[in-house]
Amino acid sequence: MNTAAENKEIVRRYYEEAFNEGRTDLLEELIAENVVNHDPVSDETLMPEEARGFEGFVRHVEAAHEAFDGATVTIEDMVAEDDTVAVRFTFAGTHEGPFAGFEPTGERLEGSNMVFMRFEDGMIVERWEESDSLDALRQLGIVSSPEDLEPAPV
């Protein structure tokens, strides 16, 4: 089992080297083959054929770069305990491609996100992400107020 410091280093490498530099080849060193990505944007309702496993995780990174020109993550804080790392980061990019069912707006997005990553045998096996989706939709000009959103089906 890795130490908390070793797990934090893997998370740092994921964001700074694999994500920011678009080095999906590096993911083989960091992500387990059976990884589960609990992220509404990568959920099977939006990416049905790509939502699970290693290839789905790779596709998650590629899709972010396809949707947001200059997509970058800046790590603000990390906390690790046992087999889990919590990271707070700022995501920034310009919406130049389809994303989560929305056509490109050309608007710049910058928002805070929080992610928990769980490790087994030195590899990321689960990832949970929470972000302020309403703020993101406002920044992209998709909504101006919560009333612009369609109610979720019951």
Side-chain angles (χ1 to χ4, degrees):
M1 184 163 126
N2 280 10
T3 67
E6 289 169 328
N7 288 342
K8 285 170 69 173
E9 177 60 15
I10 292 168
V11 171
R12 185 204 61 76
R13 288 188 70 210
Y14 165 69
Y15 284 114
E16 293 179 1
E17 297 175 36
F19 187 89
N20 285 351
E21 296 174 17
R23 292 187 51 207
T24 54
D25 60 303
L26 187 61
L27 294 175
E28 290 181 20
E29 297 176 31
L30 310 174
I31 309 297
E33 186 65 33
N34 62 343
V35 65
V36 178
N37 190 14
H38 306 279
D39 180 344
V41 175
S42 295
D43 188 85
E44 61 267 358
T45 58
L46 296 175
M47 295 171 44
E49 69 286 351
E50 303 166 333
R52 299 287 180 241
F54 180 79
E55 292 304 319
F57 206 99
V58 171
R59 185 67 195 123
H60 168 82
V61 173
E62 292 171 343
H65 283 276
E66 290 167 6
F68 292 94
D69 186 47
T72 59
V73 165
T74 302
I75 296 172
E76 307 293 347
D77 198 16
M78 274 196 286
V79 178
E81 185 173 316
D82 299 327
D83 66 350
T84 302
V85 174
V87 59
R88 181 176 58 87
F89 63 86
T90 301
F91 172 87
T94 302
H95 188 208
E96 298 291 341
F99 175 71
F102 297 104
E103 291 302 313
T105 64
E107 298 294 330
R108 180 103 177 127
L109 172 66
E110 185 170 315
S112 180
N113 298 270
M114 287 186 254
V115 170
F116 285 81
M117 293 190 185
R118 189 175 67 79
F119 289 79
E120 286 180 9
D121 301 321
M123 306 283 274
I124 299 168
V125 294
E126 282 190 279
R127 176 184 178 276
W128 294 265
E129 180 166 354
E130 295 294 331
S131 59
D132 187 344
S133 299
L134 180 57
D135 182 56
L137 293 174
R138 284 182 180 154
Q139 287 184 51
L140 296 176
I142 294 169
V143 300
S144 58
S145 70
E147 291 77 32
D148 291 342
L149 297 172
E150 291 184 32
V154 180

